[in-house]
Amino acid sequence: MSETLNIALIQTELIWEHPEQNRADLSKKIDALIEEVDIIVLPEMFTSGFTMNPSRVAETMQGETIAWLKKVAANKQAAITGSMVIKENDHYYNRMVFVHPKGAIDHYDKRHTFTYAGEDKVYTPGTKKIIVDYNGWKICPLICYDLRFPVWARNVEAYDVLIYVANWPAIRVAAWDTLLKARAIENMSYCVGVNRVGKDDNNHDYSGHSAVYDVLGNRIDNIPFDKEAVEIVTLKKEVLEHNRSKFNFLADQDQFSIK
């Protein structure tokens, strides 16, 4: 079990519906990492941008991007995660994959498809929340619009880290900032949010605001808001356990189930 977790946040522009170029651009950023890291976090739909044209970019779990992720994870001896468009059984999914250094893969399909953009009309929503066990840490991976639904993120599994990947537009970035902090506080968990920057082909602006919050809602990163950046943030198990032991708010949460 590791007492620390070094997470690399990659806040980047994305080339519209161009997986090969996005992989190439991301490879340069990842190769430039000098420090050892445990997890590399990419944005939502990191191969394409937030497209409602899944047939143009969809891959399978045996496709080129999965092979690339496995290669990166092996070379860096670090897990790598982000979401991409996956086609499976004639359905399209906005799928967040978590690739371990030895090649094992956990995946989470976005539960809350973004109806405002018509995501619900082209992507099949997921039905299962997952917890990834990695280096003695329990990690809950979620995607963008999921951030607005606290019940889905509710910490009944005693997870340690929430990771949100996103293409969250600049016009609503105040909600992104506020809700990331809230999810950390209410779940007594570290909360990591990685968002893209730049403009997509739908003329939507993205201002980044990637961030990491500790269990009390204190921001612990220094990543700049609105430009490409890569930052490594260290999470400490001691801080997590000390605050949970001292305050123990999770023991008082209401009991209910989600249908």
Side-chain angles (χ1 to χ4, degrees):
M1 182 179 72
S2 174
E3 291 300 316
T4 60
L5 201 64
N6 294 321
I7 299 185
L9 288 69
I10 299 188
Q11 179 171 280
T12 185
E13 293 191 31
L14 298 173
I15 307 302
W16 188 249
E17 297 180 352
H18 202 319
E20 184 177 1
Q21 186 61 57
N22 284 311
R23 289 194 300 267
D25 291 347
L26 288 165
S27 289
K28 292 177 183 177
K29 293 177 172 65
I30 294 167
D31 290 344
L33 289 170
I34 298 174
E35 298 178 52
E36 289 188 5
V37 296
D38 299 301
I39 304 176
I40 300 165
V41 186
L42 311 178
E44 178 184 22
M45 290 195 185
F46 64 85
T47 63
S48 62
F50 190 59
T51 177
M52 295 303 105
N53 304 307
S55 62
R56 297 181 185 175
V57 298
E59 299 185 41
T60 70
M61 293 296 286
Q62 292 74 45
E64 290 185 21
T65 296
I66 294 296
W68 172 78
L69 290 167
K70 287 183 175 182
K71 183 178 180 181
V72 170
N75 288 343
K76 284 294 184 181
Q77 280 300 289
I80 184 167
T81 188
S83 94
M84 55 183 290
V85 180
I86 290 289
K87 186 176 183 180
E88 192 171 82
N89 299 323
D90 294 323
H91 292 274
Y92 294 110
Y93 296 92
N94 184 349
R95 177 168 292 179
M96 188 169 174
V97 292
F98 188 101
V99 181
H100 296 252
K102 292 185 178 180
I105 300 176
D106 294 292
H107 75 262
Y108 163 74
D109 294 329
K110 189 177 183 181
R111 160 84 167 190
H112 300 94
T113 49
F114 190 40
T115 53
Y116 185 72
E119 188 181 12
D120 58 313
K121 293 180 174 60
V122 291
Y123 292 94
T124 300
T127 59
K128 295 181 180 179
K129 178 183 178 185
I130 72 162
I131 304 298
V132 176
D133 290 313
Y134 180 70
N135 285 6
W137 292 70
K138 292 184 177 181
I139 299 166
C140 180
L142 297 173
I143 303 173
C144 204
Y145 194 40
D146 287 330
L147 181 61
R148 288 187 178 270
F149 303 95
V151 169
W152 190 239
R154 188 168 179 265
N155 195 358
V156 295
E157 302 89 357
Y159 63 68
D160 307 307
V161 186
L162 268 171
I163 298 180
Y164 287 95
V165 298
N167 276 208
W168 196 287
I171 195 170
R172 294 186 294 278
V173 78
W176 166 261
D177 293 340
T178 302
L179 294 175
L180 281 177
K181 184 174 184 176
R183 296 295 89 83
I185 294 168
E186 69 197 10
N187 292 300
M188 296 211 76
S189 165
Y190 283 107
C191 186
V192 177
V194 174
N195 191 29
R196 65 163 293 180
V197 293
K199 187 187 292 284
D200 68 18
D201 271 26
N202 291 318
N203 210 35
H204 297 312
D205 286 307
Y206 299 91
S207 56
H209 283 233
S210 300
V212 181
Y213 293 92
D214 71 12
V215 299
L216 298 180
N218 300 302
R219 189 174 172 193
I220 59 173
D221 69 282
N222 294 299
I223 197 165
F225 278 154
D226 58 356
K227 61 183 180 181
E228 289 196 321
V230 177
E231 181 168 344
I232 299 171
V233 181
T234 299
L235 312 187
K236 298 178 180 179
K237 185 67 75 74
E238 179 184 13
V239 171
L240 182 78
E241 292 176 343
H242 170 76
N243 282 292
R244 284 184 175 175
S245 175
K246 181 177 180 179
F247 298 112
N248 201 25
F249 297 140
L250 292 178
D252 298 326
Q253 62 185 338
D254 298 309
Q255 302 299 314
F256 60 88
S257 59
I258 302 173
K259 294 182 178 180

